[in-house]
Amino acid sequence: KIAEGLIDEENDRGASVDALDELLNKDNFSQYHTLAISGGGENNNFRASTYYRDLQSIARENGRAEYGVRANFNGRSFENRLTTQVDFATNINNANRLGGGDMYGGGGWEWAYTRNPTQALKNDDGTWYYEPTSVNEVARLVEEHNRRQQQTTTLAGTVGYEIIKDLKFNVFGSVQRDS
């Protein structure tokens, strides 16, 4: 950039840093696995499933690993006058939300394109180089943490009874918990 005249020689700091390359996760590999079973008989049925998902971003320090379980039961009795349905679902996720920026601020991507590529990311003594007008995004990814662990569980059920032909009474209940 100096030879092209885009950066004055007085701004040459002696390094050659590809900041965008420093923000990329080159070993990312996302995966999704599921397993389900189902069965039943004449008056009832069930289905249960589980899954695991590992999402890795192209950005360093950005990804999510989650797993969950779902189950459903349906039943009929008393000559099909009584019906029951029970649903259960839980999801547990561990997210690393530090890298990648956001849709409004641009995160480290804008920083990587606008910084002086001749400025080293670290000082000669090994400490991170900071300047008063911008953030060293590579240092931020190493030094900061933005992790979230969350579990969401839902349990719902319906019980119905046909009192007389075409007149049915239903009760529904549900509870959800986030932690």
Side-chain angles (χ1 to χ4, degrees):
K1 300 291 179 181
I2 294 171
E4 297 171 26
L6 296 174
I7 299 175
D8 291 333
E9 276 192 48
E10 63 189 43
N11 290 325
D12 184 358
R13 305 286 188 252
S16 178
V17 176
D18 183 350
L20 182 62
D21 190 59
E22 296 290 331
L23 299 179
L24 294 176
N25 173 10
K26 298 177 197 88
D27 297 322
N28 61 345
F29 177 75
S30 295
Q31 53 188 315
Y32 186 79
H33 306 277
T34 61
L35 175 66
I37 59 171
S38 62
E42 183 178 330
N43 292 318
N44 56 54
N45 62 60
F46 72 92
R47 183 178 193 282
S49 64
T50 185
Y51 75 94
Y52 171 74
R53 178 167 67 165
D54 183 11
L55 302 174
Q56 296 181 10
S57 172
I58 64 166
R60 281 179 57 184
E61 300 301 322
N62 185 281
R64 170 190 302 254
E66 63 182 329
Y67 52 95
V69 174
R70 298 182 74 85
N72 169 271
F73 171 81
N74 297 294
R76 295 185 315 243
S77 58
F78 300 118
E79 297 175 350
N80 293 332
R81 293 177 70 182
L82 178 67
T83 59
T84 58
Q85 178 177 347
V86 178
D87 296 299
F88 170 79
T90 190
N91 171 286
I92 300 165
N93 81 61
N94 298 303
N96 183 351
R97 306 178 326 159
L98 184 61
D102 60 36
M103 60 190 257
Y104 303 109
W109 309 116
E110 183 178 345
W111 168 83
Y113 281 113
T114 59
R115 71 179 298 278
N116 182 344
T118 66
Q119 178 62 57
L121 296 172
K122 289 190 171 188
N123 296 315
D124 291 337
D125 64 1
T127 60
W128 292 108
Y129 172 77
Y130 292 100
E131 54 187 70
T133 59
S134 69
V135 173
N136 182 334
E137 288 291 331
V138 176
R140 187 179 71 81
L141 293 177
V142 172
E143 301 295 333
E144 294 181 13
H145 299 286
N146 185 2
R147 299 184 189 277
R148 178 183 71 189
Q149 292 182 317
Q150 179 180 6
Q151 179 175 358
T152 303
T153 302
T154 304
L155 178 63
T158 302
V159 176
Y161 188 77
E162 188 174 45
I163 299 168
I164 58 174
K165 184 167 173 53
D166 297 328
L167 179 61
K168 191 171 189 178
F169 176 76
N170 283 321
V171 175
F172 173 78
S174 177
V175 63
Q176 179 173 320
R177 180 168 186 249
D178 285 317
S179 59

